[in-house]
Amino acid sequence: MTYQFDFSSLWAYWPEFLQGAWLTLQLSAVSTVLGFVLGTLCAIGRADGPPWVKFLVASYVEVIRNTPLLVQVFIVYFGIATLGIKVSANAAAVIALVVNVGAYTCEIVRAGLESVHKSQLEAADCLGLSKPQIYWHVIIRPAIERVYPALTSQYVLLMLASSITSQISAEELTAVANRIQSDTFRSFETYIVVGIIYLALSFVVRIGLWLFGLAVFVRKRKLGTAL
């Protein structure tokens, strides 16, 4: 038995594919920014916070990293509805993705914070820098720069993992593909096209994050050299 590929029936759905890809990028962008903020704050709390904060952050990280993202999405979506709060599927998707990626960001950033040598802190203290200045210029920014490649990879994975939110009817790329293949009965061709789009999105996200890092960290080094 030979399979006859037929992509012609999918051409009419290109606007829907593009709309799904655009929503995937939107979900990923919002989740990345909020997840980075959440993860960085948790990393600071776990590295230098009081014991009870360290315990809470460690518990949060372990729970999230040892449960499936799909289960987390269901808990957020159906749990919020159980409380009587109406939230759209897209909003629930963002909340679940932020909570998930925040835990992974926490551990990545914490590794960067722990890589800062004590001698650098002592030198900054000798220069008369205040504690906020030391924490920002000597600890946070260099730590983020060191782990930025790992963060980039994590956020690309986040974009790909957003496909799971199709299970709660978030209208991202995979949800669009599910609807299209049910209309055209060309499942194989539909998911080949979606796979290619995800591959392209991965390159777009990776290049965008690389350019952002280049602008932030290279500019910082130039300013430091000028000073």
Side-chain angles (χ1 to χ4, degrees):
M1 180 178 179
T2 58
Y3 184 82
Q4 298 294 325
F5 285 96
D6 181 13
F7 291 93
S8 60
S9 59
L10 301 180
W11 284 109
Y13 293 93
W14 272 109
E16 295 185 41
F17 279 122
L18 293 177
Q19 185 178 0
W22 175 239
L23 182 56
T24 294
L25 288 176
Q26 288 180 304
L27 290 176
S28 302
V30 174
S31 301
T32 294
V33 173
L34 297 180
F36 174 77
V37 173
L38 174 62
T40 301
L41 292 176
C42 288
I44 294 172
R46 191 167 184 182
D48 297 320
W52 65 271
V53 171
K54 292 182 179 180
F55 174 77
L56 289 178
V57 173
S59 300
Y60 155 65
V61 170
E62 290 305 314
V63 168
I64 296 301
R65 294 178 69 189
N66 291 285
T67 54
L69 174 57
L70 180 59
V71 173
Q72 297 165 21
V73 170
F74 284 157
I75 289 175
V76 170
Y77 185 60
F78 296 111
I80 291 177
T82 302
L83 296 175
I85 303 173
K86 293 183 178 180
V87 177
S88 67
N90 291 343
V94 168
I95 294 171
L97 291 173
V98 168
V99 171
N100 181 270
V101 79
Y104 289 92
T105 299
C106 172
E107 290 301 277
I108 294 173
V109 174
R110 185 168 70 94
L113 296 177
E114 292 177 350
S115 70
V116 178
H117 200 274
K118 290 184 179 180
S119 61
Q120 294 177 276
L121 304 180
E122 294 171 356
D125 189 49
C126 291
L127 290 174
L129 296 180
S130 64
K131 287 186 177 180
Q133 287 177 320
I134 292 175
Y135 214 90
W136 175 248
H137 294 287
V138 182
I139 300 177
I140 295 292
R141 293 178 67 175
I144 297 298
E145 183 176 2
R146 289 191 183 102
V147 300
Y148 191 73
L151 289 174
T152 297
S153 297
Q154 187 61 52
Y155 296 143
V156 172
L157 291 175
L158 168 69
M159 185 274 296
L160 298 175
S162 67
S163 61
I164 291 177
T165 63
S166 64
Q167 298 300 308
I168 59 171
S169 301
E171 288 296 316
E172 47 74 62
L173 183 57
T174 300
V176 170
N178 292 339
R179 187 173 64 251
I180 291 174
Q181 66 86 23
S182 67
D183 290 342
T184 62
F185 299 101
R186 309 302 299 186
S187 301
F188 198 11
E189 291 89 337
T190 299
Y191 290 115
I192 287 176
V193 171
V194 168
I196 293 172
I197 295 175
Y198 271 118
L199 185 62
L201 291 179
S202 296
F203 282 112
V204 169
V205 172
R206 194 174 293 276
I207 291 173
L209 290 172
W210 175 74
L211 291 174
F212 177 79
L214 198 65
V216 171
F217 299 123
V218 172
R219 181 173 176 271
K220 185 194 73 171
R221 292 197 203 102
K222 288 182 178 179
L223 287 175
T225 303
L227 292 175

